[in-house]
Amino acid sequence: MNKSSIRTRLILLMLIATVIPIVISMIVTYFYTTRSVGTKLIQENANLIYQGKTNVQAYMDTLNRNSLSLYNDPGVLLMLRRNVHDYTNEAQTYTLLQNLTHSVDGIYQIYFYMAKARRSTLLIGDIPKRGYDTDNFSEPFTTGNPSSVVEPTHMSSIYGLGQSPPYYDPRPVITLHRAIYNVPTTEWLGTLSIDIKLEAIQDIADQLFNKQHERLYLLDQSGMVVYSGDSTLVGKPLSDDWTGPVLESKETRGQLEMNKSVYLYEKMDTPYMKWTLVKEIPHSYLYEGARSLTQINIIIAAVSLLLVIAATLFVTIRITAPIKKLIGTINQIQAGNLTARVDGEGRDEIGILVRRFRTMMETINNLILREYRLDIANKTNQLKALQAQINPHFMNNALQSIGTLALQHNVPRIYSLINSLAKMMRYSMNTNQEAVPLSMEIGHVKAYLELQKERFEGKFGTHFELDEAALGIMVPKMIIQPLVENYFKHGFDPKLGPGRLTVRARLEPGGTAEAGDAGPLKPGEGTGPNGAGAESGPASGAAPNNAPETRPDEDPAAMGPPSILTGGGPPARPVLFVEVEDNGRGIPEDKLAELEAGLAMMREEAGIEEEGGIGIGNVRSRLRLYFDPRASLTLENTDPHGVRITMRIPLGEDITT
């Protein structure tokens, strides 16, 4: 596929315009959904954990308040203050413990110790077990504690009251120990220990997490596991990476992210217990909903993307197919098949373009047939029009007669001028030659300058710098004189001082040189037609005042020039440079740019010419007609004023043709 074709660029543009927004939308949607869903889920779980903490703390607060109910029973307090052993005391104790057992759901057993009587009572359900003359089994948890304290999860026991009864079922329990005092004094009267089934906490905790994906921990201040979804951890210290930061945090609630999980925690800070409820939510579960939603979005986006790509290819191929067909037809036309068929019947802009192109080619073919014939005729007529069709012998004989009469009257100057005019007439009216040696063209220019010197009373000088090797080159007739004439029509100004016109010609090896590669000739670089160097002063083409004029076609310089070789190798293709330079008014820059543009487009109407003259555009056209199309003619202003016109003529291997 061509990377620079319209089809490729259009496909890429449409794909970029559709794929990139869709992909960006998918990425943004994924991250936004993940963030928003994760934030929402975290908030919901934080609220859930807070509610769970509230429920656990409310349960424990209720249990703690119920343990204070014995202070409201004067009979119990009296029994604790006295060391009395009777049936009534035992019945009263049983009633107290039974009421406490049924005050809150989840109580497994209650232990009651009376210090003065050294009596212990353990109520398991509704079955009492008594001990006499016993020690306080709960002493490690009540000594030094002015109020209640909670013992973390442990296996239940019968508090040292002998052998366990057959009906006793040890199980994990949480115990609330309360020391009983003879208020308002600090006299210790006994101990009340309430064992709570772990299931009571479990019933609340199980509503707070998903056992398959999440984890829940209830820790005391030392990191001991009070409850966990993993029963193997209950009653053991937990030393995971997150345990320390959570327990040491001074915040009552918060969250922690580590190990690809989120840990939400709520702390319960009461006088009798300091627990922390922690919920662990793995990222994989937390963002599972976001991923599912993203996958659905990706599937939808992928299907949409495939549809967009298919539509893009269809549209671009549909649009560019006529263009590619048109390009194929243009290639056939470029190869020379101007009658190649241009098909296209679409009603859109491309169809209009194809139909207009077909109409244009039909018009061009008709114009080519007509203009080709006209061009051949015009070129022939153009060359013929440059040469007068009057009989040259009649004009020459008439001018010779007038010149002889001038000599008879002793006016040699008139004879010289008439002789120059005769040379010009013979040169211009000789239709047998369309191309002449450069030396003959130079002779014609000198004759023309001789007449102009008389016209302008010698207010200008001429200078010729001619390479002898260039004088034999065949050039079109009337190719230099129009350039010289241009000076007198547009550039000559006596106010600027004495005029000066320089004509240079040189022959150089060709190679890859283009127009303007070589600079202007320097004075003294060329030689005159007779090998005597440059000429200056009056036009040297004029005949002596008392001698007959030499015919231009008999100029000895018309002999072929020597060969131009380059370093002993095969002959190079030489280039002829002809320059006409003056010190006249010059050309305004805007006009000069217009002339250069006109010459570049071979527009003869852009030349500097007057009615009846031969313009610069005509000269350039004839250069390209006679020589290689790379032949060129350039104009440039000189300092301080003036114009330099340079002709560059690439020649063939035979430099005389």
Side-chain angles (χ1 to χ4, degrees), residues 135-180:
D135 294 325
N136 181 17
F137 193 82
S138 301
E139 183 177 1
F141 299 97
T142 56
T143 302
N145 289 317
S147 60
S148 57
V149 64
V150 175
E151 180 183 359
T153 305
H154 60 282
M155 293 302 294
S156 64
S157 67
I158 60 173
Y159 289 85
L161 297 180
Q163 190 175 5
S164 300
Y167 56 83
Y168 189 76
D169 181 20
R171 63 177 59 196
V173 294
I174 301 170
T175 303
L176 175 68
H177 301 280
R178 173 172 292 280
I180 304 171

Side-chain angles (χ1 to χ4, degrees), residues 19-140:
V19 173
I20 291 180
I22 291 176
V23 172
I24 292 176
S25 176
M26 290 167 56
I27 295 174
V28 172
T29 300
Y30 172 75
F31 284 105
Y32 176 78
T33 304
T34 301
R35 184 183 183 90
S36 60
V37 171
T39 302
K40 183 177 180 180
L41 290 176
I42 289 175
Q43 185 61 44
E44 290 178 353
N45 280 276
N47 294 336
L48 187 62
I49 291 297
Y50 174 78
Q51 187 62 43
K53 178 203 81 168
T54 302
N55 293 338
V56 171
Q57 188 167 332
Y59 179 82
M60 296 301 295
D61 286 343
T62 300
L63 189 64
N64 185 55
R65 285 195 304 270
N66 289 346
S67 68
L68 294 172
S69 62
L70 58 86
Y71 286 102
N72 298 325
D73 191 340
V76 173
L77 292 178
L78 181 61
M79 180 180 61
L80 289 172
R81 296 188 184 109
R82 297 165 51 191
N83 184 10
V84 177
H85 299 275
D86 55 28
Y87 174 77
T88 302
N89 290 342
E90 290 180 358
Q92 193 174 4
T93 300
Y94 176 80
T95 301
L96 171 66
L97 298 182
Q98 191 177 40
N99 290 336
L100 286 175
T101 299
H102 295 287
S103 65
V104 178
D105 291 336
I107 294 178
Y108 179 57
Q109 62 184 11
I110 299 176
Y111 171 74
F112 182 57
Y113 179 76
M114 294 179 287
K116 291 187 176 183
R118 290 180 57 82
R119 287 168 50 188
S120 299
T121 302
L122 178 65
L123 185 63
I124 306 171
D126 290 330
I127 302 174
K129 183 176 177 60
R130 297 181 176 88
Y132 302 96
D133 195 22
T134 61
D135 294 325
N136 181 17
F137 193 82
S138 301
E139 183 177 1

Side-chain angles (χ1 to χ4, degrees), residues 514-573:
E514 296 294 339
D517 287 350
L521 290 172
K522 301 296 185 292
E525 287 182 349
T527 58
N530 298 321
E535 304 177 18
S536 61
S540 59
N545 291 342
N546 55 359
E549 182 65 43
T550 302
R551 294 176 58 86
D553 52 3
E554 297 174 355
D555 194 332
M559 299 173 60
S563 299
I564 297 178
L565 302 179
T566 56
R573 300 188 64 176

